[in-house]
């Protein structure tokens, strides 16, 4: 007895109301999807480059400028400790900024594309 393998969604014969592979390809080429991709990249790439540069500066200073990094600011608090804690602060700040950016600019555009794809029969 032969068995028929179920077809995954997105191929010919998929469930009604489910986007097809052709529709995904069409949406990927659309100006609206390009705008969504640009909105993400124009925010994420500069922040990523900036954070990596800031992190590498911290690592390089820790490795090669131990005199500067060991400078006491007050009590037992030195420059290295302040900059190290700054790394954590920067990480949380970037995460918060990205969540705001995604909620205001990316999510509405993505939801609009998704609803149009799901409504396409």
């Amino acid at each position: 007895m032969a068995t028929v393998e179920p077809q995954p969604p997105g191929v010919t014969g998929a469930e009604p109301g489910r986007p097809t592979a052709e529709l995904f390809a069409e949406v990927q080429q659309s100006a609206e999807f390009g705008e969504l991709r640009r909105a993400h990249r124009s925010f994420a790439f500069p922040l990523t480059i900036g954070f990596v540069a800031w992190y590498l500066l911290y690592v390089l200073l820790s490795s090669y400028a131990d005199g500067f990094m060991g400078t006491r600011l007050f009590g037992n608090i030195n420059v290295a400790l302040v900059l190290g804690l700054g790394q954590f602060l920067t990480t949380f700040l970037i995460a918060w900024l990205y969540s705001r950016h995604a909620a205001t600019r990316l999510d509405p555009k993505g939801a609009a594309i998704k609803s149009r794809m799901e409504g396409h029969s």
Side-chain angles (χ1 to χ4, degrees):
M1 182 165 154
T3 59
V4 177
E5 303 238 350
Q7 293 181 335
V11 297
T12 308
E15 301 169 26
R18 302 269 317 210
T20 63
E22 293 80 18
L23 183 58
F24 275 106
E26 180 183 319
V27 168
Q28 185 179 14
Q29 300 301 320
S30 72
E32 185 179 31
F33 187 78
E35 183 182 325
L36 174 62
R37 192 171 29 224
R38 271 189 303 281
H40 169 70
R41 288 179 179 173
S42 67
F43 186 86
F45 286 178
L47 275 179
T48 301
I49 291 167
F51 182 77
V52 168
W54 155 234
Y55 175 74
L56 290 176
L57 175 66
Y58 176 73
V59 170
L60 290 172
L61 286 173
S62 295
S63 297
Y64 299 108
D66 53 335
F68 169 70
M69 294 295 271
T71 303
R72 287 185 175 202
L73 299 175
F74 48 90
N76 288 329
I77 307 299
N78 62 14
V79 172
L81 181 62
V82 171
L83 293 181
L85 292 174
Q87 292 288 317
F88 286 101
L89 179 63
T90 304
T91 301
F92 290 116
L93 177 65
I94 289 171
W96 177 72
L97 288 171
Y98 181 78
S99 70
R100 281 187 47 208
H101 174 74
T104 59
R105 300 208 178 170
L106 303 179
D107 292 349
K109 291 176 185 179
I113 292 171
K114 179 183 175 198
S115 69
R116 270 193 289 292
M117 287 184 73
E118 289 175 344
H120 192 282
S121 297

